[in-house]
Amino acid sequence: MFGLVLVTLALTTSGQLHVPTTSPDAALGPEVVLSGKLFSKEGTLFRASGEAVLRSGTTVLRADEMTYDQETRVAQAHGNVLLVFNGLIGFAKDLTVNLETREVTAPGATFYQKQGVAPEVLTELAARGEALTLEQTGSNAFSFTTDHFRLLGDRAYQVDNLSFSASCGCDVVARLWRVSASSATLEPGERASFSSPTVRILGVPLVWLPLLSLPLTNRATGLLFPEFGSTGLSGFQLAQPLFLTLGQSYDMTLAPGYAFGSGSDSSGKGSLGVRGPFLNSEFRYTPAEGVNGRLWMRLLYDFKLERSPLDPNVLEPDAKQRGPRGWGSVEHRQELGNGWHTRADVTLYSDGFLFADLTPAGGFGRSYYYIPSTATLYHRGEDHYAGVDLAYRQDIRFGYPLFGGDDLRPTVFQRIPRLLYTIPTVPLLGPLTGSVDVELSRLSPLGGLLGDEGTDGVFWPALPDADGTQGNGRLDVGERQARTRLDVRPRLNATFDVGGVLRATPYLAVRESLYLFEVSREARSRTYGMAGLTLDTELSRTFGEGASAIRHSIMPAVELRAVPRVFGEKAPPIYDEVDAAVTPDGFFQGQVALRQKLVRRVGTSGTAELGRLDLTQGVDFLERRLGETSGRLLAVVGPVTAAATARLDLFTPNVEQRLTQLSASANWNVLANGRLNVGAGYERALGSSERVRRPIDMLLPPPLTTTAPVSSGGSCSDNATLDARPIDRVLFNAGTSLPFGLGVNYGAEVYRRDPARCDVVQVRSQTLSLSYTPSCDCFQIAAHASLLPAPVYFDYGVLLTVKGLGTFGR
């Protein structure tokens, strides 16, 4: 790389000496200029001393004294030697250049490859002798120490017995890791190839390899450093990534590896986790502005034994190895122009148990019981939205394969497709504004038109209906079938000022839903109108002046809304939240809300919230009872922030569901800028993720049957019973981020299951995380350790990322 070429030799005296050269090497330039305070000539040998400078083109060699033999074309520099050539700078005590063989000998010399600065700038700084400024200009791409190297071309050179370190302007990186090798070929901006290298971390030999190729750019094909890690599910895992550059806009990473597994099937029971070889692959692309995507896939051969698809802890009769398995995801974003966009987020598993086999969490800790995938094409204009989308849900409660397998699996209804057109609120006439939503959706199983849940409407593979209607292939009363729905929702609003102190907003809306059921060939419709009125105002007062001013506002509001009558299909089969939105007899409801807010001024125009208190009370006029009472509190007192939310319905017939939500949290920034903080939180929640998600997504089968309540004979030691009971969760966390880059975080979760029935208190998990990132952001060390119960296992991970070297661990 340095046409090092050093270079031109020359000698000078208190002036400049133009040294004639007959070399055809163009790198020497048309002339060589040698300058110095004193010089002499002995035959073909030129000698200069006192700030001797040899210069040719952009090449500069400085030293206390220098000699150049015009016949042998050898230059020798002694004392405070500085070499600059085409972005390379070197410092040595003594340095010899042979221009004939293009070799440089410099015992113990250190060389730096500069980036982010023009070579001409370095040349001028070297010519003026500004060594300190030269060292601080730009940034260092890499550095190496050697006794000898040889130029292979204008941008490559062969180095012997070197110590190499990629850098990023952070001196600690050079002290952190280095690669020592018997020889190496360095191509600035391309890669460094080493023979018999040893990677040293803090001077300690870590890895020896026969060959090593490191990219000196972010886009260079080559091996990345091995990844290793361990989980309680799959034990120790090791992978070797290979990065492939497929042009300027495409690249791929392939990482073959092996999971050594944990646990044993010899007991006759199944277990979570995997054991066997695997291949991770990732393909990334950005071919044009506004277009990007990522495809990720893991293929593995699982040596563990097959399990019952209904229970991962039970082996199949005459169980064989699980064999080929895998999962993958696709992410795509594209701007098509003229307001058109498309996006896709697809994730698929080869079988339902694979998610649990790869995810180190269980029970309540794993909140998913399905994996969603979506694809959307839409147009967004200034006054409308139009789009078509597909939604697929993969049920991962059971171990059935993605394609094929047992026909007794529960049927999942997919949204294929949905067309949506929306005009948001737009001004119409005077105080009138309006909006409209039009939706055409089809919900249907893949490969069929029937849910076939049985007359009780609940599909449970291990417990068919008593009358045999589950899975009989016929449409029976209580079962769901594929259906298409057209839903139109226009709305008209108006806003009026009442006496300058009150704002009144009446509104009218109509919803028309047309249903076509595809097995029975029935067409049904449901229509209802909604009328509402909102009255609200705001009272405020400011205390103090200037930067210390605090504003207190009170915002009372009253809302009335009613659906007086439902026409047509009063109670359609419920597939989603639209079908369940209105009861067959309509409703007449009200809500009273009182909101208070306290803010202070920040800067010239900003504000910061100091406190908030929201109280709401619902009223059901048809049932002549109070509805849900809810409250939200937020308080900021110096470094302490506290929040609480509660929802309570004292008059619901279902006693167990009267407390619908209760949560609280507090966080204390002990030191400024988040240097030290501690926090705690509380949550009253349902233990079953299915019960949590069921009200917001009903495309999956109806809820599974659960074990009988404790009062009916269920046992507190029965996990299925406990999963159906509410849970009191308490969360603790503490963390610090020190100025020199060290971060420490600790978190713990303690829960108590339904203390009124099953008084079970347990530490659910504990996690300790450590990280270190220097201010120059050249490397990061991160480690975590987690202790998880039921089954109890220890999970840990260590990750070391060094810029220019790669990533160790996982």
Side-chain angles (χ1 to χ4, degrees), residues 732-734 744-749 763 765-770 783-788 795:
F732 300 96
N733 64 81
V744 182
N745 289 277
Y746 170 79
E749 176 186 353
V763 178
S765 65
Q766 298 183 78
T767 301
L768 177 64
S769 302
L770 301 173
H784 78 272
S786 300
L787 184 63
L788 301 164
D795 183 34

Side-chain angles (χ1 to χ4, degrees), residues 69 72 163 227 314 317 420 429 441-442 495 679 803:
D69 192 317
T72 62
S163 178
E227 298 177 347
V314 177
L420 181 63
L429 179 64
S441 63
R442 180 177 183 268
T495 302
K803 187 174 181 179

Side-chain angles (χ1 to χ4, degrees), residues 668-688:
W668 178 23
N669 288 318
V670 182
L671 298 179
N673 300 322
R675 296 300 185 190
L676 176 62
N677 61 82
V678 295
Y682 168 81
E683 180 183 15
R684 176 77 164 174
L686 295 173
S688 167

Side-chain angles (χ1 to χ4, degrees), residues 224 227 238-243 252-258 278-282 296-299 810:
L224 304 179
E227 298 177 347
L238 179 66
Q240 174 56 66
L242 170 64
F243 181 80
M252 174 180 286
T253 301
L254 300 175
Y258 194 90
F278 62 82
L279 174 65
N280 293 339
S281 59
E282 183 177 14
W296 195 96
M297 180 179 294
R298 166 178 276 196
L299 301 175
R810 172 177 295 173

Side-chain angles (χ1 to χ4, degrees), residues 84-160:
V84 173
F85 174 78
N86 200 24
L88 179 80
I89 65 173
F91 300 92
K93 183 178 180 180
D94 300 293
L95 184 144
T96 301
V97 179
N98 189 320
L99 297 182
E100 188 69 33
T101 60
R102 302 165 66 86
E103 294 180 80
V104 175
T105 302
T110 300
F111 298 88
Y112 300 89
Q113 180 64 48
K114 289 290 186 176
Q115 62 182 10
V117 57
E120 294 78 8
V121 175
L122 300 177
T123 299
E124 292 304 318
L125 291 174
R128 295 197 299 265
E130 300 181 21
L132 181 60
T133 304
L134 182 67
E135 190 174 358
Q136 296 175 347
T137 300
S139 59
N140 298 330
F142 60 84
S143 65
F144 63 91
T145 301
T146 186
D147 294 337
H148 177 267
F149 67 90
R150 181 169 61 90
L151 226 68
L152 300 178
D154 289 344
R155 297 288 296 173
Y157 36 95
Q158 180 75 34
V159 187
D160 300 323

